[in-house]
Amino acid sequence: MVNLRDLLLRYSVMIFMLHFIWSSNNKLVIADVSAIFIFGDSTVDVGTNNYLNGSLATANKPYYGIDYPHHTATGRFSNGFNPADYIARYLGNYKKSPSAFLALVQKTSTFKSSISRGVNFASGGSGILDDTGNRGFHNVVSLTRQIEQFQTVRGNITEILGDVKASKLIANAFYLISVGSNDFFDQFRYNYNISAAELIFDLTDTFANQLQNLYNLGARKFGIFGIPPIGCCPAIRAVTPGGACNETLNSYAQIFYNATFNLLQHFSSANPEMNFSLGNSFLMTKGVIDNAAASGFVEVKEACCGTGPFKGIDKCTQKSDLCKKRDEYLFWDRFHPTQKAAKMAALTLLYATGQEFVIPINFSTLATIQH
């Protein structure tokens, strides 16, 4: 049996190899998907919350975007690009993630012509459960509502292409989903009167229904991020005695990963032509934290931009402490990875072999399946 230390060492070696591949061939394309539709939370949000009145989960002001082209704060919770941008780049002829749905609907004259290659519905602060994020951030778009927005897009694509061509495009599109962390963060913050077992059950049951709704709308290829070790992010270290990881939150992430895998196995068996790839973000991130130097990082506990202990007390602003060498940091702000970490995560999901970091196939293999 392979132990955790061996897995982490293998991950560090793999990261080095993938970084070399990326550096040597920045234009490498591994698949040419018909479209990419992105759902989830701030890990893959590209500006949805910019259009939500009163939302506190925003990233459209400096220092966010400091390393993005023209130093633009787009709404990405990053110093530059996020994992959705890199996955889109390597799955087809994309320069970055498709635009946010709420950005596209502002321009009614071009909306229909802008959606055929994909849309990003992700909303920072949101979760699987409909109420997640609303108490802390006031206004977010839940995964349920994101799927309703996709239904609108699906209808418009059908109007443009006709039912047969639209169904083929939708079936061969890639569906990227990164969600779940905020559901556990809300439980941590507000201590709702629910047991861990009940929370996991509610999340799994709700997620199953949401995936079924996507499938019923024609989705067939699901690339899903597992929850990372959320107990080790700077926001949690900042309020944990000794700056340690919160192992309760980490255990939730691991349990939900296993529940998600079981769910996906049953879901794919029950629904013809459904294919999936599940990334083990927990093991990937833990590998970096436990082997920082081998993974190319110097600082894996403290955020690059923020205030207070571990720079984990508040969001990144122009009044925050900002690090100079951002590529040396795993965390950009109190919750989110730097652009460099996002790129490495995306490459792992796309290229990894074996079953440790992405199962049962990697994202690039999933993307090439034709329906």
Side-chain angles (χ1 to χ4, degrees):
M1 177 177 291
V2 179
N3 62 35
L4 180 59
R5 183 176 179 180
D6 290 338
L7 285 177
L8 295 178
L9 179 60
R10 288 170 61 182
Y11 178 71
S12 298
V13 173
M14 182 182 68
I15 284 294
F16 176 80
M17 294 175 65
L18 291 175
H19 187 58
F20 175 78
I21 291 171
W22 186 91
S23 299
S24 64
N25 191 354
N26 197 30
K27 296 183 178 180
L28 181 64
V29 174
I30 56 174
D32 189 13
V33 296
S34 57
I36 300 175
F37 297 102
I38 299 164
F39 304 82
D41 55 29
S42 54
T43 52
V44 289
D45 184 356
V46 295
T48 291
N49 291 8
N50 299 351
Y51 301 90
L52 299 180
N53 292 332
S55 179
L56 300 180
T58 55
N60 57 347
K61 295 181 180 179
Y63 291 117
Y64 288 101
I66 191 170
D67 296 312
Y68 193 83
H70 309 295
H71 312 294
T72 304
T74 61
R76 289 166 172 81
F77 292 78
S78 171
N79 57 306
F81 292 105
N82 69 26
D85 293 304
Y86 288 110
I87 288 172
R89 184 179 299 179
Y90 290 100
L91 286 186
N93 189 24
Y94 297 82
K95 293 183 179 179
K96 57 186 178 181
S97 163
S99 297
F101 172 80
L102 292 184
L104 294 173
V105 296
Q106 306 297 314
K107 303 174 182 178
T108 55
S109 62
T110 59
F111 176 74
K112 288 186 178 180
S113 63
S114 302
I115 60 177
S116 61
R117 292 222 65 209
V119 178
N120 188 316
F121 303 93
S123 172
S126 68
I128 293 169
L129 302 179
D130 290 347
D131 290 337
T132 293
N134 288 321
R135 182 171 175 178
F137 301 116
H138 298 175
N139 194 3
V140 301
V141 183
S142 68
L143 183 57
T144 297
R145 286 173 57 200
Q146 293 176 35
I147 295 169
E148 291 170 355
Q149 293 172 344
F150 171 70
Q151 185 173 6
T152 298
V153 169
R154 171 65 163 98
N156 277 273
I157 290 175
T158 300
E159 288 181 13
I160 297 167
L161 300 179
D163 188 60
V164 174
K165 289 184 178 179
S167 295
K168 186 174 181 62
L169 182 148
I170 294 298
N172 285 302
F174 192 94
Y175 296 81
L176 180 65
I177 304 173
S178 179
V179 72
S181 295
N182 290 314
D183 298 287
F184 292 108
F185 280 135
D186 268 17
Q187 171 66 9
F188 176 79
R189 292 186 188 107
Y190 307 119
N191 194 25
Y192 295 128
N193 187 24
I194 184 174
S195 69
E198 290 173 318
L199 179 59
I200 295 292
F201 177 83
D202 286 351
L203 288 171
T204 305
D205 187 57
T206 303
F207 196 35
N209 290 331
Q210 291 162 335
L211 293 176
Q212 188 66 60
N213 290 338
L214 278 173
Y215 178 87
N216 292 344
L217 289 167
R220 293 295 182 267
K221 299 189 289 190
F222 297 82
I224 298 175
F225 288 69
I227 298 175
I230 53 178
C232 294
C233 68
I236 301 302
R237 287 189 188 271
V239 296
T240 303
C245 295
N246 183 304
E247 295 305 337
T248 299
L249 279 172
N250 283 348
S251 69
Y252 288 166
Q254 291 176 296
I255 293 169
F256 188 64
Y257 171 83
N258 292 329
T260 301
F261 182 51
N262 290 334
L263 157 65
L264 291 169
Q265 286 183 306
H266 288 105
F267 187 74
S268 60
S269 298
N271 293 279
E273 297 187 337
M274 183 275 183
N275 301 100
F276 73 90
S277 177
L278 176 62
N280 193 334
S281 301
F282 187 96
L283 192 57
M284 287 190 291
T285 307
K286 200 68 168 63
V288 172
I289 292 172
D290 292 345
N291 297 271
S295 302
F297 293 95
V298 174
E299 178 55 66
V300 295
K301 296 181 180 180
E302 182 178 282
C304 172
C305 184
T307 58
F310 298 96
K311 298 183 186 175
I313 296 301
D314 205 352
K315 68 186 291 184
C316 175
T317 71
Q318 283 185 297
K319 295 181 180 180
S320 301
D321 295 328
L322 177 69
C323 72
K324 294 181 179 180
K325 298 180 179 180
R326 292 178 282 279
D327 282 351
E328 292 184 355
Y329 281 69
L330 171 62
F331 290 100
W332 158 244
D333 65 6
R334 56 184 175 159
F335 294 115
H336 305 99
T338 57
Q339 176 177 256
K340 177 182 175 180
K343 177 176 67 178
M344 288 187 170
L347 286 170
T348 302
L349 294 170
L350 289 163
Y351 285 94
T353 58
Q355 299 287 296
E356 293 89 4
F357 308 112
V358 58
I359 52 176
I361 54 178
N362 61 34
F363 280 20
S364 63
T365 303
L366 175 67
T368 60
I369 297 173
Q370 295 295 308
H371 294 292

